[in-house]
Amino acid sequence: MLLQDQIALITGSGRGIGRAIARLFAKEGAAVFLTARTEKELAETAAEINASAPPLPSSSKDRAAAYATADLTRAADCARIVSQCREKFAKIDILVNNAGHYGPVLPVEDYPLADFDAVLSVHLRSAFLLSQLVLPEMYARGSGVILNMSSLSAKAAFSWGSAYAAAKAGLLGLTRVTAAEAARKGVRVNAICPGPVTETRMSKELGADLARRLGVNPEEQLQAFLNGLLQGRAQTAEEIARAALFLCSSQSSAITGQSLNVDGGAAFY
Ligand SMILES: NC(=O)c1ccc[n+]([C@@H]2O[C@H](COP(=O)([O-])OP(=O)(O)OC[C@H]3O[C@@H](n4cnc5c(N)ncnc54)[C@H](OP(=O)(O)O)[C@@H]3O)[C@@H](O)[C@H]2O)c1
């Protein structure tokens, strides 16, 4: 197993990509601490993981998954979940900054400032805050991994998602700078840039909003977009989770400061 005895704090893990990452990490031997705003989804994900994950070392009385609700746009909630994860599992080896939402589908000139701030806050500010909170422990131990969930939107140009693209591009800058500071202290920091993972709620809502705005059929609009990718298909949450596992395990021990495109062939840098 690739993550034996590792403790992973995974944000946005009640559904979608975060949930797939939590399930795969637990399958690979990690104990996972889940967080999002919706308790029901966290409870279901934790229960499913606890029912199926391999047993933790016999010395541990812990279950493989635990959770706490949090709104990561609030700095106090970021601090609280780090404390709760440590209370539950004693340490944090892996931080996955995955939580996020797309925000309104609007041109720059119409984009409300409050929405811009909210989108930056959940994607970028929370990743910064959580990194600040876990790095001292990782530095003291001389090991740790941070993975930031960016997007194809950080590397391409799609209309009507200015805050989202800015947040995701900002995450790549944060990834590189944190990696530079952390590399000689045993900590690696990377990012994933997924393409369209059409099974998730965020992606479905975005597709519906875009089709409404364009006045086109949502299925046709999606197919036209997918046809622009080399593979001509969407990515799955499971495929993103497998890339996350690679970047958070020792399999990628010489990789830091990078962004890995998992987009079926869309961005090429
Ligand atoms: N799907 C795609 O096509 C795609 C492509 C590229 C990148 N991504 C990125 O992948 C990540 C996961 O997205 P997804 O597609 O899996 O969407 P999703 O199914 O909607 O999941 C988003 C997760 O983030 C949580 N979240 C949202 N706002 C939050 C807040 N303020 N505080 C705490 N948790 C919050 C959600 O839970 P609550 O609502 O319960 O809080 C949920 O667990 C995001 O960063 C997204 O930008 C997705």
Side-chain angles (χ1 to χ4, degrees):
M1 286 192 288
L2 290 173
L3 298 179
Q4 190 78 59
D5 299 331
Q6 299 286 290
I7 307 296
L9 168 57
I10 305 165
T11 71
S13 37
R15 61 174 187 265
I17 292 170
R19 177 187 166 103
I21 293 172
R23 289 167 59 174
L24 183 59
F25 281 21
K27 205 170 147 190
E28 289 292 333
V32 292
F33 195 86
L34 317 175
T35 188
R37 292 167 301 181
T38 309
E39 179 156 24
K40 185 169 179 288
E41 293 179 343
L42 292 171
E44 283 170 5
T45 304
E48 189 200 340
I49 289 171
N50 284 327
S52 61
L56 293 173
S58 51
S59 57
S60 170
K61 294 188 191 69
D62 287 330
R63 312 296 306 274
Y67 68 87
T69 57
D71 180 347
L72 297 180
T73 62
R74 299 184 189 142
D77 282 22
C78 292
R80 178 173 51 76
I81 57 157
V82 168
S83 298
Q84 286 177 300
C85 180
R86 287 195 180 119
E87 272 164 32
K88 178 71 188 164
F89 292 126
K91 60 171 185 159
I92 299 173
D93 299 294
I94 299 168
L95 167 65
V96 181
N97 289 309
N98 166 79
H101 69 103
Y102 196 81
V105 177
L106 289 169
V108 170
E109 66 274 21
D110 296 335
Y111 207 101
L113 183 58
D115 287 309
F116 188 88
D117 287 343
V119 170
L120 258 78
S121 184
V122 64
H123 293 278
L124 184 55
R125 186 169 172 267
S126 78
F128 171 74
L129 286 167
L130 291 169
S131 299
Q132 274 193 324
L133 289 159
V134 302
L135 280 167
E137 173 196 332
M138 291 178 173
Y139 289 162
R141 192 174 51 233
S143 70
V145 180
I146 297 176
L147 179 64
N148 294 321
M149 196 57 66
S150 181
S151 169
L152 172 59
S153 291
K155 297 185 172 182
F158 304 120
S159 298
W160 310 321
S162 51
Y164 186 79
K168 293 307 200 186
L171 270 177
L172 298 186
L174 179 66
T175 298
R176 287 189 290 263
V177 171
T178 317
E181 294 172 3
R184 305 290 175 100
K185 298 175 182 170
V187 177
R188 297 184 302 108
V189 188
N190 289 297
I192 293 180
C193 292
V197 182
T198 51
E199 73 202 63
T200 73
R201 184 185 306 172
M202 191 196 81
S203 189
K204 287 195 171 98
E205 289 174 357
L206 172 60
D209 279 355
L210 281 170
R212 240 190 326 270
R213 188 163 179 95
L214 291 163
V216 297
N217 174 295
E219 282 78 36
E220 285 172 13
Q221 193 271 334
L222 175 61
Q223 200 48 57
F225 182 65
L226 296 179
N227 285 342
L229 312 179
L230 290 188
Q231 290 183 327
R233 67 163 177 86
Q235 293 75 62
T236 66
E238 177 66 28
E239 287 175 317
I240 309 305
R242 289 205 297 268
L245 174 62
F246 171 66
L247 288 174
C248 290
S249 76
S250 60
Q251 298 285 301
S252 60
S253 53
I255 299 178
T256 196
Q258 306 300 314
S259 62
L260 180 59
N261 302 328
V262 188
D263 61 9
F268 296 96
Y269 71 99

